[in-house]
Every structure is written in C-alpha cells, then in structure tokens.
Amino acid sequence: MSGSAGDGQRPPGWSAALLTDAVTQAMRAADGRVAAVYLRSSVPGLLRLAVLCGLPGALFRPWWRLQVEWPFPATDAYRLGVPVTLANPAETMRRYPQFAAGLPFPFGSLCVPIARDARVLGVLAVLGPAVADAAELVPQRQSLEALAGRLALALDGPAGTGPHVTWDAAPLDVRPQGPGPAGGRVGCLSWDPVADRLTADGPAQALLGTPAGRLPGALDALLPVDPELPALLREAAEGRPPPLPVPVRGADGAQRLVLLWAPRTADGGLTRCVDGVVLDPGSGALADGAADLLPQGVFCLDRLGVVGYANPRAARLLGTERDGLLGRPLWEAVPWLDQPGCEDQLRQALLSLEPVHFQVRRPPAQPRQSYEGDWLAVSVHPGTHILTCTLAPADRVPESPPPIDADDAPRPATAAAAPQYRPIALAIALSEAVTARQVSAVVVQELLPAFGGRRLAIYLLQERHLYLAWETGFPQGFLTPFEGVALDARLPGVETLTTGRPLFFESMQQLEAAYPGIPLDATEGSRAFLPLIASGRPVGSCILGFDRPRSFSSEERTVLTALAGLIAHVMEKAQRYDTEAALAHGLQQALLPRRLPEHPRVATAGRYLPGTEGMDVGGDWYDVVPSGDGLALVIGDVQGHGVQAAATMGQLRSAVRAFALSDRPPQEVLGGTNRLLIDLDPGQFASCCYVRLDPVSGLARAVRAGHPPPLLREADGRTTVVDLPGGVVLGVDPAARYPVSELRMTPGAVLALYTDGLVERPGFDIDDGITALRLALSRAGAPGADRGCRSLADVADRLTATARHAADRPDDIALLLAALTPAGAAGG
C-alpha cells in the first residue's frame, strides 16, 4: 500500500480544484461512500484515475489505469457514452465478473460519462450502498449526469476551447467532507498551495472558529484564527511540517491542537498538498486516558487511512512509537501491513461499512520490541467518517492455519482468508492472458492454491458438446469418458452449464447420491462444478477437485461464482483470439512478398519477424516495386496488432504499389496513401519510408512519414544515418506534406530500411538502438570483416540474428536491404 502519488508527477493545475469539487459533490448527490473521476490519458485507449474521494488511493491501485476495451463499468460508460448502473453485487457479478471478483463486497455503483457535444472526456463514478433495484438509483443517476455535464463544460471551456483534457499524474486523494458544522473532537483540513485553496470539514471549522463563509477559500482565511497557522502550512508544503501537534486558540478561547503533514509520493517526492487534523484536547482528555488503559490496542483512521488516534497498546503491538503513528497514513507508519489481505479487508470496511475481522502476521521482532506471538487479530469497525480498529495477540482468538504451499496438504475448510484477497491477483493475472492455454495456466496458479484445491478441469463448448481444454491433478485417463459429452447428458459438469447454477458437493458420497453411477476417482474429497457463462452465452464448465471433504461457506460460493464468470469472459476472449490469430497469420503471409523482384544492378533482401507478445501478428511490411526504369523500396509499420493491423497493412501496401507502378513522384506516393488511409478511417495510423532508386545513376529520392531514418553504408564501410526531414505519420493530417530528399548510392553501397521493432527496446532510447544497428551494419558489410558474410542475405540474417533468437520481442520487425552493384546479385 504505497502512497497515492506513485507516478511522481504533479497533477495538471487546471483541473485539480474542479475535480476535487466534483467528487465531493458527487458523494453528497449520490449518497456515496467512494467517488472518483477517470480521464483520458496521453496514451491512446487508456483511462487514468484522476481523483478519488472516500478511499485511500493506495487501496485502489489495481484500478488506477483501465484499458478502454476492458469489461469494466467505467470503461463501458466511456466507450459507449451512456451511464452504467449496478444496483447490487448480484447485478455486478452478472454483467462485470472481473470487476466483481476484484471487489467482492456488497455495494452498488453508478458510472456516468463526462461528455461534451458527443466527445467523452472521462467518467464520473460513485460507489454506494447496494439496493434491490436499479430504479431506486434513478434520482442519483440524474444528479450525477447533471454534475458530469457541468464538469465537462468547465474542463472543456464554454466554446470547447479549453486545454486538452488528459491526465497522466497519479490520482489525487480527497478527504470526504464531514457531516456538518456540529462540533466534534476531531476535524480535518487540507490546503492546495498551487491553487491556494483551503478546505476544512464542519468539525474543523467549528473547532477553529473560522469566520462564516470564508472556507473553502484562500490560506489567509486562517489569519483571524491564529496568525502563525498560514506560515506553518507553507512550511509543511515545503516538506517541513511541525513534528508535534501545534497548540492554537479557537474562537472561543479554548486550546486546540493542529497536526500537519505533507503526503509524499512513492518515490519520496512531495505532492505539494498539505493535510491536517484539528483536535480538542479538552472534553476528550478523560476518554483518551481511559482508552490508553485498555488491554487491547485501539487506533482510529479517517477514510484516507490517516491515523488520528492510537493508544500506547496499539503502538506496542504494531512495533512502533505512538508519535510515529499519529497523523500518518497507516501503511506509511507500519510498512509491514502492506499485504494483499490487509488491503482487501480495509477496502471491504470502507465500501460495505460492515465490521471485518482478520489475522495478520507480524515481522520478526526487532531489538527492544517484545512481541506476544507472531500473529495479530485485527477488527475494523467502520463509521461514516472514522474507522475504529482494535488489535490483540492472535492467541486470544481461534487461530486460522497459516498459508500453505501448493505441494502441501490442502488447508481445512476453516481457512477462508485466501478467497478474500486472491480474486484481485486472479483478475490481474487473467487480464494478461490471451490464449486458452494461458488462461488455464493462470487458473491453476492462482485459483487452486487459494482454495486448497488439487484438481482442475476446464471444458469448452463446441457444437453442443463439451471438450476438455485443460486438466491437472486427475488420474491419467480418468476424464477420457467425459470427452465430447452432449448437453443432454446427466452429468454435473453438463448441468451446471445448462442451468447456469454452480454445484457444490462436500464429499464424494454427496456427489454419488446426486448422480448415481457416475464414475469416481479414488479420493474422498469434495467437488465444485462452476458454469462458465460470459455475457449470457455458455462457454463451458470448470471443475475444482479437493482431496479431502470440505464445506463451502456462502462467501466462498459467492467468490467462486464470480470468478467463474471472470474465467468465462477471459476464456471467450481467448477463443476469439485463437480464431483471429489464425486468420491474421494467414492474411499476413498472403500479403508479404514471397520473393522480391530481381534487377541486374540492384540486390535486395528482406526479413520479417513477428512479435512474441499478444497476437504475434502486426502491421509491419516491406516491398520492392518496379517503378519506371528504376525500383521503389518501401517499408512501413501500421499501429497495433491482429487482423485489423494486417488488413490495414494490406490496403496500404496495395496503394503504395499502385502509385509506384505508375511512377508517381515519391511525395505524391505518400500524399496519396495518406489521404486514402484517412478516407478508409480504420482508426489506425502508419509510418512509412519510400525510396525511388535509379540503378543507373545511383540517385535515390526518399520521403518518410514518421518512420525511423534509413542507414547508408558506403563501399568503404563508413555507415551513416540518412537525414530525411520527413512528415507526420499517415492517417492523421489530410493536408500533410512529405518533403523529398536526395542521396546518391555508389556501387557496393548498402541502403537499410527497418521498422522500430529492430531498434527500440523498453528502457532504452531509440537513438541508441539506431546507433547499435549502424555499427552492426558497418561490421556486417565491411570488406574483409567476415569472410562468411558474402551476400546481402547474409547481412540481413546477421542484423536480425539477435532479435530472431530472443525469447521476448515486444514488437514485430521488418528489414529491407538494397545494394547497388555493377554486376547485380540475387535477392534474399
């Protein structure tokens, strides 16, 4: 649970105050527990969480970034431009199993697009109490739509001339406003120095006695309260907050204590915002003294996870000093609580407002610390604005068995802690799986160990029959009789799919009683049969096997049902992927040239290597086209992968060939191809480099559209980067111009055209990659450097050797070499 500004970037100043106001108003309008705004990022197809209210940003980290095509309520609201209403967990599980698996708690949600003139800028989302029917949320949805409309207008400007609305910083954490001006012992305040905007909840204003109507407002609003307070806030914003609470006088003359801190980013930088709490040490002093004497550890958090009170016993049990807890986020003050189980329990308390109880293992005791055992029993009792937490050594409560490795004996049914946090790990891991085999492997790695299972079988539906797609743990040959069973067979794996109802059997005797005569393996364990249904369509069934009899709690049944929906959705996507991959491979093989045309004075060689991530099929291509009395050398790269990229590549290759065959000038070739791509509107862009070579004179006229520059190796081995001014990528600007540059090739010279996959690697500058390729070309083609390098095909193989043998290629690679030689040479 690291800090919420994990990217270390400052948020856009134009939007911070607007978004902060929007989420606080959304919380009130929809009676929510959590409110958030997602905005477009500078990365196409990616939404980023901009501001979060009512939940610490660290607890929401898995959802900081959302790919637009992911099946989430917020992404659907953005992509479709319509509100998404989910009344309760059952509705969420049915429509968005991946979202439900990550947050398996009782809440409802509303997501409305932030739109202006059919342009969607982002999404306003609120999580609140679950209700029986979506009709009950209509008034809240209408209020949020009105609020989202006003926010879109403010962000975009009255005439749509506002700044480009994107968000690339870490999300802002916003503390919910208090219940009102009724006095209280603890209040919260916050100051944004960039906008000079001070906010304080009702209790803080009552304790300080700020003049009516002055807050929210500028920092000077505190001058009538205490002239030193503004200076303290400014020092805190510079990273020098006072180490102890500062005494001030309220309007009634009574003493108050103000504790200030400046939240930090994950890399230690300052967020520039200052937060603080205001305490009344008077009437609550006796209560504090009583709490200090309790045998249990007691501490309190606000909804951003900041510790407002801790008794000495809590500090001892957490292994820290009391002063090190107060005024700090819990996971910053106690770093070893950065555990998935703790995160999920706090999320549940904040979202459901129901008490949660769990155990957590402490790290080994440090010198001068006296731990009473390795385990702590933790209880969290949430209120609307404050969470009260109690701690006790775990030997005071029934102890759950510790986690086990997958190779150990399965844990008993009482160990139900794992299902509470494993769904997030499973959901994140499944989001990376693209093939049916990868999906099945993830289920084995993440799902079976979490529930103590040993056996898994996944069946997929094809033409009204179920076929085994993956199995592990079952005796060899045991599942053979079930291969290809029809949907009318009376088997639990079939009936769970046809009825849509999961089936749980606590023992093999229960299973045999329900299905007399069913073949059983030689175990005494239990079984769970889960339907794989995605968007109302049957996909298959999943069977979990356990070596010992066990019961399934209602919570486990709920989580397993949600996970089955998630697995079904990803498996359906994987099946589509497999079909699309086969089509894309065939399409690309048909479009790439089988052989390059021969010319008596020009040798050519081309190479293509598909990427090893995702579809493995991209939009890179190369071509050599007769053009007048010369040759046109072409290389290009279409954005993206898959069938669409390959299809777009085919259209562009055909267009360039048509222009080249008619011997059009290079600038007209790229200009015409650019306009064609815009007219086709495939939602993609492409880079390209086009060279028209005259083999007799050696004159080459070249243009490029957002593509890496060619390399030219002279006959003496000197290799340079050809400086082409170039224009923008194809498919963006219909009026784009592509200036022509001239270079001259002499006999023995080699011209190299390539795509960025050959020179670009994560974490390295592309210029370094181009330099490395230039040096490799100089060595590979220099006379006498390597007697084995006798042809242009050898050079092409040497330049792509490292990439060809690499296990991971993030992008596909294309390379085209052309050499001018008096005698000519065969292509490769």
Side-chain angles (χ1 to χ4, degrees), residues 78 202 316 345 389 495 503 539 560 562 606 681 794 796:
Y78 175 84
R316 285 197 301 272
Q345 300 289 354
C389 309
E495 292 190 359
L503 302 174
V539 176
L560 282 171
D681 191 22
D794 293 331

Side-chain angles (χ1 to χ4, degrees), residues 707-801:
H707 201 83
L711 301 178
L712 179 62
R713 180 204 160 274
E714 303 290 355
D716 60 4
R718 289 183 299 109
T719 306
T720 59
V721 179
V722 180
D723 184 17
L724 299 181
V728 300
V729 292
L730 306 174
V732 174
D733 180 7
R737 303 283 183 180
Y738 299 97
V740 180
S741 299
E742 293 186 352
L743 62 144
R744 191 170 295 276
M745 295 180 62
T746 58
V750 177
L751 184 68
L753 308 180
Y754 52 92
T755 58
D756 56 7
L758 187 59
V759 294
E760 195 170 36
R761 297 190 304 276
F764 294 88
D765 192 283
I766 191 173
D767 290 337
D768 295 336
I770 293 175
T771 299
L773 180 63
R774 178 178 62 81
L775 295 174
L777 177 61
S778 178
R779 291 192 297 267
D786 186 347
R787 294 183 182 275
C789 182
R790 301 172 183 267
S791 71
L792 206 59
D794 293 331
V795 177
D797 288 336
R798 288 173 63 89
L799 295 181
T800 56

Side-chain angles (χ1 to χ4, degrees), residues 147-214:
L147 179 59
R150 293 194 296 271
L151 178 59
L153 182 64
L155 291 174
D156 208 28
T161 57
H164 186 50
V165 182
T166 58
W167 187 277
D168 291 302
L172 300 175
D173 280 353
V174 177
R175 180 174 285 103
Q177 293 187 355
R185 281 190 58 254
V186 180
C188 301
L189 59 84
S190 182
W191 179 55
D192 178 0
V194 176
D196 188 20
R197 188 173 188 275
L198 179 71
T199 57
D201 62 13
Q205 295 189 50
L207 289 169
L208 291 174
T210 53
R214 296 291 299 275

Side-chain angles (χ1 to χ4, degrees), residues 30-116:
D31 188 26
R33 295 168 185 161
V34 176
V37 169
Y38 282 93
L39 292 177
R40 299 175 300 189
S41 71
S42 60
V43 179
L46 181 69
L47 294 181
R48 290 193 58 139
L49 181 64
V51 62
L52 182 67
C53 180
L55 189 72
L59 295 185
F60 214 69
R61 181 177 289 273
W63 300 273
W64 279 15
R65 299 173 178 84
L66 297 180
Q67 296 290 340
V68 170
E69 69 272 12
W70 284 0
F72 280 88
T75 53
D76 274 3
Y78 175 84
R79 189 176 60 254
L80 304 175
V82 297
V84 175
T85 302
L86 300 172
N88 48 55
E91 180 72 6
T92 305
M93 287 181 192
R94 184 180 67 82
R95 295 177 57 186
Y96 299 97
Q98 185 170 344
F99 182 60
L103 292 170
F105 314 126
F107 65 88
S109 62
L110 281 165
C111 295
V112 298
I114 303 169
R116 176 86 187 283

Side-chain angles (χ1 to χ4, degrees), residues 68 293 361 437:
V68 170
L293 298 176
R361 189 168 190 171
R437 175 171 291 273

Side-chain angles (χ1 to χ4, degrees), residues 201-228:
D201 62 13
Q205 295 189 50
L207 289 169
L208 291 174
T210 53
R214 296 291 299 275
L215 295 182
L219 185 60
D220 290 346
L222 292 179
L223 287 174
V225 177
D226 189 315
E228 296 184 4

